[in-house]
Amino acid sequence: MKTLYAAMLIGSISVCALNTAIAQTAPAENPALKIYRETPPKYSDLVHTKLDVRFDYKKRYLYGKEWVTLKPHFYPTDSLRLDAQGMDIKNVSIVKAGKNTPLKFTYDSLTINIQLDRTYRNNENYTVYINYTAKPNELKAQGSAAITDAKGLYFINPDGTEKDKPTQIWTQGETQSSSAWFPTVDSPNQKTTDEITMTVPAKYVTLSNGRLASQKVNGDGTRTDTWKMELPHSPYLFMMAVGDFKITKDTWKGKEVSYYLEPKYAPYAKDIFGFTPEVIDFYSKTLGVDYPWNKYSQIVVRDYVSGAMENTSATLHGDYVQATKRELIDAYYSQGRSTIVHELFHQWFGDYVTAESWSNLSVNESFADFSETLWAEHKYGKDAGDAHINGDRLNYLSQPDLKTKDLIRFHYGNKEDMFDAVTYQKGGSILYMLRNYLGNAAFYKGLNIYLKTNAFKNGEAHQLRLALEEASGRDLNWFFNQWYFGAGHPVLNITYKWDDASKTQTVYLNQTQDGNAFILPLAIDVYAGGKMDRRKFWMRNKVDSLVFHSAVKPSLVNVDGDKMLLAKKTDSKTIDEFTFQYFNAPLYLDRFEAITAAAKQQANGGARKVIIAALNDKYYELQIKAIKAADMTNDDVRNAAQPILIKLAQTDPNTLVRAAAITALGKLKASGNTNLFKDALKSQSYAVQGAALTALSALNPEDALALAKTYEKDSEGALKQAILVTYATTGNDDQFDYVYKAFTEGQPQTQFDLMKKFADYTGRIKSSDKAQQGVKAIVDFGIKFKKYGVAPQVAALLNGVKESRAKLNDTASVAAIDKGVAELQKPE
């Protein structure tokens, strides 16, 4: 699963990236943290699951018949327990010779406890028939920050009453929600083949795991589709989807690769998903295990409860991956594309070999996270891969509450707490380090051993360690003990001393984190006399040092020369050393660190040299970093940067660089750039157009207001955001309905970005009715995200609106604000 987290609002309304995990650390006194979360015991093993289902759209019910075949795992048993959440259980029978014989059972709304007809041994299969009704909308299921709902089966616009929203049905099984739509042993350490028959309105298409075995048109306007998955997989990876989707088909080595999209987006199917066969081929060759399933489908649905889900052979995506060809101009390696490769890698790590328990979720999600970097460096180059993994590190390190959590942990409040930046971003960063330590060949050989040894079964961190040790011949207990079964990360201070008399250079290393020292194999690169010499060093104590001779004072000593370390580093290099580093050390993070240091010291000539040079860095994200960092109030910086920015704004092949350059120029409010901005409005890139409109708005708000109106009908992404900000900043009552609709119907990111200006806009418009609409929208937002601690900030914004409405003598809006603030202040 790729998770999308609700953003955390800090201070006045501001936004973290949607993929930034909210720290979910439970209070220390939480008794749930004292419970050991054991791997679920296996009393019975699933063998085959056969389902025959139909749907009641009006009631939001699933009517199901199930034939589930099992066998005792080891010990003889005369009973069976199945998970079944919130169902009506009508019949439970044993199936023998084609006949159903009723069995005694009890049901407590969560589990069915069945008394079998006799005692079975582990060499005997038996089949139980269950007739049931699943009622997901009546289920009292609580979601989490990672997966916002847990009712398993979702009816989207089932009555067709929501305009511009399709009618769909889809399922979401992770973590343990498949048992909300069919009885099963809902544990990740179970594996079963399956057959799912769906009877649906004939106008719709269906998708499930495995192959479409048959279709039968019925006489009542319905059609019955049967899907078969003939290789075993875990119940949480079962899926169904029903709706008006257009299918675009592709292939990889004769296997079907298909893309299910709403008809509106079907023309762009290859633009969105068309690189999938290339990724399948790359992962298959890298791992030495060909894609293991008989087909691979990707489907995009509405109102999905997280980011995406790697159901076996049939990944389900939220609608944020849908985009037109124009929108994709600015995508590059965007979240949508990284999600596509993330879910695909799960088909090996998660589906082919599945985490034995949620405690071991790392062997699913850390690998899928790592795969995003793996594809980035393969497809877009090493800088892109290094940039992606550095984003992972920064994401994890920015959340100090996570430093107490082990990667593999058997104590947690809720199983969904495992879906955090430790499991994802920290875990991915750890694999990145491990690959560097072992070398690519040994690392991927170890993954190959792990996959083949545990194929169609379950895995955990110990099995991964043993496979990597078998491949490399190296002991890895030290690595796994500190990174997998320990918490936190090094907090590393690095200082230097050069002694000219003895021609010796000392590097002082000091780990200041609580607890034990981390064992750190380090590459230390010494640049002296026009040459680079790499020294290997193992840091084993909290305080350590390296002393070496050099004929001349080194221009740079670069600790962690491979830039692999997951650590919070304080490096006491001088600005001259960082300047040397930018121009001489080869890696993305070398240049990133130098730009970061230079940005703080732009009065220094060397620092300015770095910033100006980085405007033309070979990697676009570093160009953008330098553009944003350039201090245009400094005459020397501005005089050197402005002609470069103008050129970038006009001709850079990367649209995001062009947009960043236009934004920087726009802040100068120089009328001489007006024609440049107007020319940029002709771009096909929404990012470039949005930056240009914002820049023109700073120069002439009234002209920009008129221009914004002309772009309303074809605006997405940054352009739409620029229109909204232009209207919210300088518009009047005439533009309010457009902004209000965009705010209320927008994705969380749109709402977060617009919130402050929308509040100001609501405060100044003349119409009391419109102001009350705005107030309600802000209150609704605050209530929706109240559990993430935003209520005080939203209340503060509303009080600002209240002051403005009071000056306009709008007592009705003032009363609505008072009521809304009171609602926000109520304890949950």
Side-chain angles (χ1 to χ4, degrees):
M1 170 166 285
K2 182 69 178 287
T3 54
L4 287 182
Y5 297 89
M8 191 67 166
L9 305 183
I10 304 170
S12 61
I13 298 298
S14 61
V15 63
C16 297
L18 268 179
N19 65 338
T20 299
I22 299 169
Q24 293 294 309
T25 306
E29 67 274 9
N30 184 349
L33 293 179
K34 297 179 181 179
I35 300 172
Y36 173 71
R37 307 292 180 175
E38 67 177 4
T39 299
K42 296 176 77 171
Y43 301 111
S44 300
D45 291 344
L46 295 171
V47 176
H48 183 68
T49 302
K50 180 179 178 180
L51 300 171
D52 184 346
V53 305
R54 61 189 63 226
F55 306 97
D56 188 325
Y57 284 78
K58 185 176 181 180
K59 292 182 178 179
R60 284 70 160 164
Y61 286 178
L62 175 152
Y63 301 119
K65 297 177 182 178
E66 176 177 27
W67 294 261
V68 57
T69 302
L70 308 99
K71 69 181 185 66
H73 179 72
F74 184 81
Y75 300 104
T77 184
D78 62 357
S79 63
L80 171 66
R81 186 195 68 80
L82 295 175
D83 300 296
Q85 301 180 55
M87 299 178 181
D88 289 339
I89 306 298
K90 299 176 181 178
N91 180 276
V92 178
S93 297
I94 194 78
V95 181
K96 289 190 173 179
K99 294 183 179 180
N100 295 345
T101 302
L103 297 173
K104 294 180 180 179
F105 69 94
T106 59
Y107 179 56
D108 63 2
S109 83
L110 294 177
T111 59
I112 312 171
N113 288 289
I114 302 166
Q115 184 64 45
L116 299 174
D117 60 321
R118 65 176 178 84
T119 297
Y120 289 85
R121 300 186 180 278
N122 66 359
N123 60 350
E124 296 179 287
N125 290 358
Y126 61 90
T127 299
V128 172
Y129 167 79
I130 304 172
N131 189 324
Y132 66 97
T133 300
K135 302 185 288 186
N137 283 32
E138 298 173 23
L139 182 65
K140 305 298 183 185
Q142 185 174 355
S144 68
I147 308 167
T148 59
D149 200 298
K151 61 187 179 185
L153 175 66
Y154 297 81
F155 290 83
I156 307 302
N157 194 20
D159 303 318
T161 55
E162 295 181 70
K163 186 180 177 182
D164 300 325
K165 179 179 284 190
T167 296
Q168 299 174 347
I169 294 173
W170 47 264
T171 61
Q172 164 55 38
E174 194 169 39
T175 45
Q176 290 171 209
S177 297
S178 285
S179 53
W181 62 276
F182 67 97
T184 188
V185 183
D186 205 353
S187 299
N189 63 345
Q190 289 284 341
K191 296 265 180 165
T192 172
T193 55
D194 77 72
E195 176 180 327
I196 300 178
T197 296
M198 289 178 263
T199 299
V200 302
K203 62 183 178 179
Y204 293 143
V205 300
T206 68
L207 177 65
S208 189
N209 315 98
R211 64 184 177 91
L212 180 57
S214 67
Q215 290 187 301
K216 176 187 173 185
V217 177
N218 305 315
D220 59 355
T222 66
R223 190 187 69 254
T224 299
D225 292 356
T226 297
W227 293 82
K228 291 185 177 182
M229 168 53 76
E230 289 146 332
L231 295 171
H233 63 138
S234 292
Y236 80 89
L237 297 167
F238 280 36
M239 73 85 68
M240 299 185 299
V242 182
D244 181 15
F245 300 100
K246 187 167 182 180
I247 308 169
T248 301
K249 292 192 176 181
D250 217 332
T251 61
W252 177 78
K253 288 190 174 182
K255 293 185 177 184
E256 179 185 315
V257 178
S258 54
Y259 319 125
Y260 289 62
L261 291 153
E262 293 176 31
K264 174 183 175 182
Y265 288 96
Y268 315 110
K270 290 290 185 74
D271 300 296
I272 300 167
F273 291 120
F275 66 106
T276 300
E278 183 185 359
V279 187
I280 294 175
D281 197 65
F282 170 64
Y283 286 160
S284 295
K285 289 176 179 176
T286 300
L287 297 171
V289 176
D290 273 359
Y291 176 78
W293 314 104
N294 61 0
K295 71 104 163 51
Y296 187 57
S297 300
Q298 295 178 91
I299 188 167
V300 182
V301 302
R302 293 290 189 99
D303 297 349
Y304 185 53
V305 295
S306 192
M309 181 62 206
E310 67 276 9
N311 309 297
T312 312
S313 80
T315 286
L316 189 148
H317 289 277
D319 63 0
Y320 72 96
V321 304
Q322 286 187 146
T324 65
K325 191 182 290 285
R326 276 197 70 188
E327 290 174 89
L328 290 169
I329 289 172
D330 301 319
Y332 298 98
Y333 194 42
S334 65
Q335 183 160 305
R337 287 179 173 173
S338 66
T339 298
I340 289 167
V341 303
H342 175 114
E343 301 306 330
L344 179 49
F345 205 72
H346 269 310
Q347 299 299 316
W348 288 267
F349 286 87
D351 297 6
Y352 186 60
V353 181
T354 306
E356 185 179 55
S357 67
W358 301 119
S359 294
N360 275 280
L361 185 61
S362 173
V363 299
N364 290 10
E365 294 298 351
S366 298
F367 275 102
D369 183 275
F370 167 73
S371 77
E372 299 174 30
T373 294
L374 180 59
W375 176 251
E377 66 183 22
H378 169 76
K379 183 65 176 178
Y380 303 106
K382 182 164 176 55
D383 279 350
D386 288 350
H388 197 80
I389 202 68
N390 190 54
D392 279 358
R393 293 189 198 106
L394 294 176
N395 187 322
Y396 160 71
L397 292 171
S398 70
Q399 301 176 63
D401 288 343
L402 299 180
K403 67 182 180 181
T404 61
K405 293 186 176 183
D406 298 345
L407 180 58
I408 306 298
R409 51 191 185 270
F410 292 90
H411 296 85
Y412 49 78
N414 183 293
K415 56 190 177 298
E416 290 186 18
D417 294 348
M418 293 296 300
F419 293 79
D420 60 11
V422 175
T423 296
Y424 284 75
Q425 287 84 5
K426 182 182 181 182
S429 300
I430 288 168
L431 288 169
Y432 193 69
M433 286 193 295
L434 186 55
R435 183 184 65 166
N436 183 68
Y437 172 69
L438 294 176
N440 282 5
F443 178 76
Y444 291 123
K445 177 62 177 176
L447 300 194
N448 176 270
I449 293 169
Y450 171 81
L451 289 172
K452 288 183 175 179
T453 302
N454 303 294
F456 303 111
K457 296 186 291 187
N458 296 88
E460 61 174 36
H462 288 298
Q463 289 163 312
L464 175 63
R465 174 182 60 82
L466 291 170
L468 290 164
E469 288 182 341
E470 180 181 342
S472 67
R474 294 184 181 179
D475 174 79
L476 292 173
N477 275 297
W478 66 273
F479 187 94
F480 277 74
N481 285 343
Q482 70 183 17
W483 289 114
Y484 278 78
F485 302 105
H489 52 269
V491 179
L492 185 62
N493 292 330
I494 308 167
T495 56
Y496 311 89
K497 179 183 178 183
W498 167 253
D499 188 316
D500 195 54
S502 61
K503 302 297 183 185
T504 56
Q505 174 74 55
T506 305
V507 182
Y508 298 99
L509 303 169
N510 185 15
Q511 295 184 33
T512 63
Q513 74 278 359
D514 294 336
N516 296 328
F518 280 77
I519 300 171
L520 304 176
L522 296 172
I524 300 178
D525 294 342
V526 181
Y527 293 78
K531 297 180 181 179
M532 190 275 278
D533 177 39
R534 170 158 291 187
R535 297 165 187 267
K536 299 284 189 176
F537 181 75
W538 283 76
M539 184 180 186
R540 300 181 183 275
N541 303 300
K542 278 205 162 181
V543 178
D544 217 332
S545 62
L546 172 67
V547 182
F548 57 87
H549 291 275
S550 178
V552 296
K553 182 180 186 300
S555 301
L556 173 69
V557 178
N558 199 14
V559 176
D560 186 24
D562 286 329
K563 294 295 180 281
M564 292 289 160
L565 190 60
L566 176 62
K568 187 174 182 180
K569 291 192 294 186
T570 302
D571 198 324
S572 63
K573 292 170 186 166
T574 66
I575 190 60
D576 289 342
E577 289 167 330
F578 274 120
T579 300
F580 183 92
Q581 179 172 309
Y582 180 83
F583 291 103
N584 293 275
L587 300 178
Y588 162 88
L589 197 54
D590 291 315
R591 288 153 24 234
F592 180 96
E593 290 175 349
I595 295 168
T596 301
K600 301 171 185 176
Q601 303 183 55
Q602 293 182 51
N604 177 278
R608 290 197 301 273
K609 186 179 177 183
V610 169
I611 294 296
I612 299 305
L615 297 176
N616 285 307
D617 194 276
K618 64 178 183 177
Y619 185 61
Y620 78 95
E621 288 188 13
L622 291 181
Q623 286 183 274
I624 294 170
K625 180 176 175 66
I627 291 168
K628 291 180 177 179
D631 181 4
M632 302 299 278
T633 65
N634 180 305
D635 290 345
D636 292 331
V637 174
R638 185 178 64 256
N639 291 337
Q642 191 165 353
I644 299 173
L645 291 173
I646 289 171
K647 184 177 180 181
L648 294 176
Q650 293 173 323
T651 64
D652 197 274
N654 187 289
T655 58
L656 300 182
V657 171
R658 287 187 65 197
I662 291 167
T663 298
L665 292 170
K667 291 177 181 177
L668 298 177
K669 298 184 180 180
S671 59
N673 289 323
T674 300
N675 288 337
L676 184 156
F677 300 148
K678 287 184 176 179
D679 285 343
L681 282 173
K682 301 172 186 175
S683 173
Q684 284 293 296
S685 160
Y686 289 126
V688 172
Q689 286 183 304
L693 180 61
T694 301
L696 287 168
S697 182
L699 285 171
N700 191 323
E702 291 303 317
D703 285 355
L705 199 63
L707 272 172
K709 181 69 178 176
T710 67
Y711 289 98
E712 278 186 12
K713 291 184 179 179
D714 184 13
S715 61
E716 297 294 341
L719 177 58
K720 185 165 189 175
Q721 193 69 21
I723 292 171
L724 293 172
V725 171
T726 298
Y727 285 169
T729 303
T730 60
N732 53 42
D733 289 43
D734 294 340
Q735 292 83 35
F736 183 81
D737 289 344
Y738 180 88
V739 178
Y740 173 79
K741 183 175 187 293
F743 180 82
T744 54
E745 296 179 2
Q747 296 292 326
Q749 185 73 59
T750 299
Q751 294 178 306
F752 296 150
D753 289 346
L754 191 60
M755 173 60 78
K756 179 65 169 64
K757 289 189 179 297
F758 181 67
D760 293 341
Y761 190 18
T762 299
R764 74 169 189 274
I765 58 175
K766 294 179 181 179
S767 167
S768 176
D769 289 342
K770 292 183 186 297
Q772 289 174 65
Q773 281 185 291
V775 167
K776 184 178 185 304
I778 295 169
V779 171
D780 289 346
F781 169 91
I783 291 172
K784 181 178 180 180
F785 295 103
K786 187 176 181 180
K787 60 185 175 182
Y788 301 121
V790 306
Q793 291 83 3
V794 174
L797 279 181
L798 286 168
N799 285 326
V801 176
K802 178 180 176 180
E803 290 181 18
S804 299
R805 301 315 301 176
K807 291 176 182 177
L808 294 172
N809 296 315
D810 181 5
T811 55
S813 293
V814 168
I817 291 168
D818 287 339
K819 182 179 178 181
V821 169
E823 187 70 21
L824 288 168
Q825 292 174 341
K826 284 182 181 178
E828 288 194 81

